[in-house]
Amino acid sequence: MRKRIPALCLLLFLLSLIPVATTLAGERPGGRGELFPEVAQPASLPIYPPGFSETTIFSGLSSPTVLAFAPNGQVFVGEKSGLVKVYDGLNDPTATIFADLRTNVHDYWDRGLLGLAVDPNYPANPYIYVLYTLDAPIGHPPPVFNDDCADPLGNGCTVGGRLSRVQQGGVEEVLIEDWCQQFPSHSIGTLTFGADGALYVGGGDGASFGEVDYGQLGGNPCADPLGSNPPATAEGGALRSQDLRTAADATALNGAILRVDPATGEALADNPLYGGDVADDDRVIAYGMRNPYRFALRPATDQLWIGDVGWSDWEEINRLNDANDSVVENFGWPCYEGSGRQTSYDSTNITICETLYGEPNAVTPPRYAYHHLEHVVAGDGCPVGSSVISGLVFYESGDYPAQLRGALFFADLSRRCIWLMARGGNGEPNPNRRRLFVREINVVDLKTGPAGDLFYVDFYEGAVRRIEYTPARPPAYHR
């Protein structure tokens, strides 16, 4: 009878993927989790469903943030400081330095090297792509702050962000320099290639994480328009995420998803805003986000599923239904958070938000949102009170149970959990089919790799780990 228990438990886990009702609690004060809290969460063993286990592939890393697999079998890992390391394969325990960008990277609080992608034709095209916080204001050569900040809650280290392509040895070609950031959180985030060959780029709003910010704080170092009657006329701070709605000034790239030519960093000619009258908006295909730290393209589609790290109340999973269509989705931040108005910004009567509230269907609601004080799945055992959505990936094919194919896996670094959203009748993930996958796990990046298995980056323990499935094997870990 004992030998049958793991199989029975697995069956119960898979049966639990039947639809359940989704309810979202009303707004209440909640945690405002940082992406990389200074104090690591306590170490404990991950708790997997039967048959699943994890193995440490690479260890001894220093604050790793991002993972990328190359077509030739090499594996790239980016560290927050700006080091990019490469392994010859999953069986190579010793990394070599592909690029050392530490001089240029501002490694402070939630800032650093956070995005990494490998050219789909690598090594014939010998490039990797990096997205990082620049250790200097926009237009100034780094370093300026040398990974320090005179006033982390003010404007002592206003900086920019940078997208570059890099060759072996650190030869760097800057493609985009933008994303003014006054505060050391909601910086830049993810890079990924689409099946169309386009490079998709995400960046946060760079605004205050502690109070309403419309550009009035710390002397307005990002030179945001405030107008003659702020806050009503203001366009700065978190409102940079709505900059596409203010055509009179150049469009910043904060709080937006970009679609660019990987050779130049310029907009592609089939982008929806390409060639219009507004300056600098051609790259933008979606906007209105606070911190789209991680996103994932759904395989065999043009859908982009975006994890937006929330403020007081809600974490969002937003769906950009077609990254190649003519629609530029607005997900509403800071006027909206979750599916409702963001009360703190609503109370200021800012014109940008008030106008948006008066336009039916102008904002695309989250595909799924979870409140900081509510469990993602009832009884999941994951702590509540603070939330940081920190990884999204689709499982496509491999050795995992067939019921998991097409599922969206999503992680929260603050809650130390991964959940899955199983596919529904139309083939895409159904928010009503959420289930806990694993607890007690530190995820800052989540990818699929060889054989389709999930891999994750453990920021605190400096490791890359593989999640495998073997039928009838009890849960285990091997570190």
Side-chain angles (χ1 to χ4, degrees):
M1 186 66 179
R2 274 183 199 167
K3 293 182 180 179
R4 297 177 61 85
I5 289 176
L8 176 60
C9 292
L10 175 62
L11 176 61
L12 293 174
F13 168 73
L14 296 175
L15 287 175
S16 72
L17 298 178
I18 60 175
V20 296
T22 302
T23 59
L24 297 178
E27 289 195 2
R28 300 187 284 180
R32 305 180 182 186
E34 298 169 33
L35 187 57
F36 304 114
E38 293 181 0
V39 179
Q41 300 293 330
S44 56
L45 306 186
I47 302 172
Y48 283 101
F52 287 91
S53 62
E54 68 173 44
T55 302
T56 297
I57 304 299
F58 308 128
S59 60
L61 296 159
S62 178
S63 300
T65 54
V66 64
L67 169 70
F69 294 96
N72 67 345
Q74 288 184 301
V75 186
F76 290 82
V77 178
E79 295 182 342
K80 188 167 173 285
S81 66
L83 279 178
V84 180
K85 297 180 178 179
V86 61
Y87 299 83
D88 289 337
L90 295 176
N91 296 319
D92 175 17
T94 305
T96 58
I97 303 299
F98 184 88
D100 184 350
L101 304 173
R102 288 177 293 182
T103 297
N104 295 341
V105 173
H106 192 222
D107 177 14
Y108 188 85
W109 281 30
D110 289 357
R111 295 170 169 177
L113 191 156
L114 306 182
L116 175 66
V118 181
D119 192 291
N121 296 314
Y122 184 90
N125 293 344
Y127 306 111
I128 67 164
Y129 293 79
V130 292
L131 185 62
Y132 62 83
T133 316
L134 184 66
D135 194 356
I138 297 169
H140 292 261
V144 172
F145 301 109
N146 292 298
D147 300 329
D148 200 358
C149 181
D151 178 10
L153 299 179
N155 69 328
C157 51
T158 297
V159 299
R162 180 182 278 182
L163 169 67
S164 296
R165 68 175 187 176
V166 182
Q167 298 186 54
Q168 178 80 49
V171 179
E172 181 179 9
E173 179 184 354
V174 177
L175 302 180
I176 301 175
E177 194 171 296
D178 203 287
W179 300 283
C180 185
Q181 303 160 47
Q182 183 178 352
F183 295 87
S185 192
H186 4 137
S187 184
I188 40 66
T190 289
L191 290 176
T192 192
F193 275 92
D196 55 2
L199 184 62
Y200 294 84
V201 187
D205 67 8
S208 172
F209 47 83
E211 57 187 300
V212 169
D213 179 3
Y214 51 83
Q216 82 283 14
L217 302 173
N220 190 19
C222 287
D224 293 315
L226 296 179
S228 59
N229 186 29
T233 56
E235 301 177 10
L239 295 168
R240 286 191 290 267
S241 294
Q242 293 293 325
D243 207 15
L244 212 63
R245 294 175 60 85
T246 58
D249 59 294
T251 301
L253 303 181
N254 300 69
I257 303 294
L258 318 180
R259 181 175 179 266
V260 303
D261 183 339
T264 64
E266 298 297 329
L268 291 163
D270 56 347
N271 279 9
L273 297 175
Y274 186 84
D277 295 332
V278 178
D280 305 323
D281 68 354
D282 291 5
R283 300 182 178 104
V284 178
I285 61 168
Y287 67 107
M289 287 162 283
R290 180 176 182 266
N291 185 7
Y293 170 66
R294 292 292 183 237
F295 53 78
L297 281 159
R298 182 177 161 225
T301 76
D302 291 320
Q303 288 184 353
L304 197 67
W305 291 62
I306 306 160
D308 192 13
V309 180
W311 190 26
S312 298
D313 297 298
W314 297 97
E315 300 297 291
E316 298 181 8
I317 296 179
N318 296 313
R319 184 190 65 184
L320 197 165
N321 195 49
D322 187 345
N324 290 311
D325 66 12
S326 60
V327 178
V328 182
E329 284 86 348
N330 181 0
F331 294 106
W333 173 261
C335 309
Y336 290 84
E337 185 184 15
S339 296
R341 297 185 184 186
Q342 212 298 321
T343 55
S344 296
Y345 281 88
D346 185 15
S347 66
T348 62
N349 296 317
I350 292 172
T351 300
I352 289 175
C353 291
E354 295 303 312
T355 303
L356 191 59
Y357 297 146
E359 295 183 21
N361 304 315
V363 168
T364 301
R367 191 71 181 96
Y368 170 64
Y370 59 97
H371 197 278
H372 291 183
L373 293 180
E374 301 292 336
H375 291 282
V376 172
V377 173
D380 60 18
C382 304
V384 299
S386 181
S387 303
V388 175
I389 191 165
S390 57
L392 292 92
V393 72
F394 286 89
Y395 173 72
E396 188 172 11
S397 63
D399 295 331
Y400 290 9
Q403 292 91 333
L404 300 183
R405 290 179 183 170
L408 174 67
F409 288 76
F410 60 101
D412 189 311
L413 180 63
S414 181
R415 299 194 187 195
R416 303 187 66 223
C417 285
I418 301 176
W419 304 268
L420 65 89
M421 190 183 293
R423 68 183 187 273
N426 63 357
E428 73 174 46
N430 185 340
N432 293 335
R433 304 190 69 192
R434 306 184 311 278
R435 283 295 176 263
L436 175 70
F437 180 59
V438 58
R439 299 201 325 258
E440 310 296 340
I441 192 168
N442 299 318
V443 177
V444 294
D445 192 25
L446 193 59
K447 297 285 175 60
T448 52
D453 289 346
L454 268 63
F455 290 73
Y456 75 92
V457 178
D458 187 324
F459 177 78
Y460 295 117
E461 297 190 17
V464 172
R465 299 198 168 99
R466 181 176 191 166
I467 301 173
E468 300 173 285
Y469 175 74
T470 303
R473 179 202 274 175
Y477 77 93
H478 307 279
R479 293 186 178 175

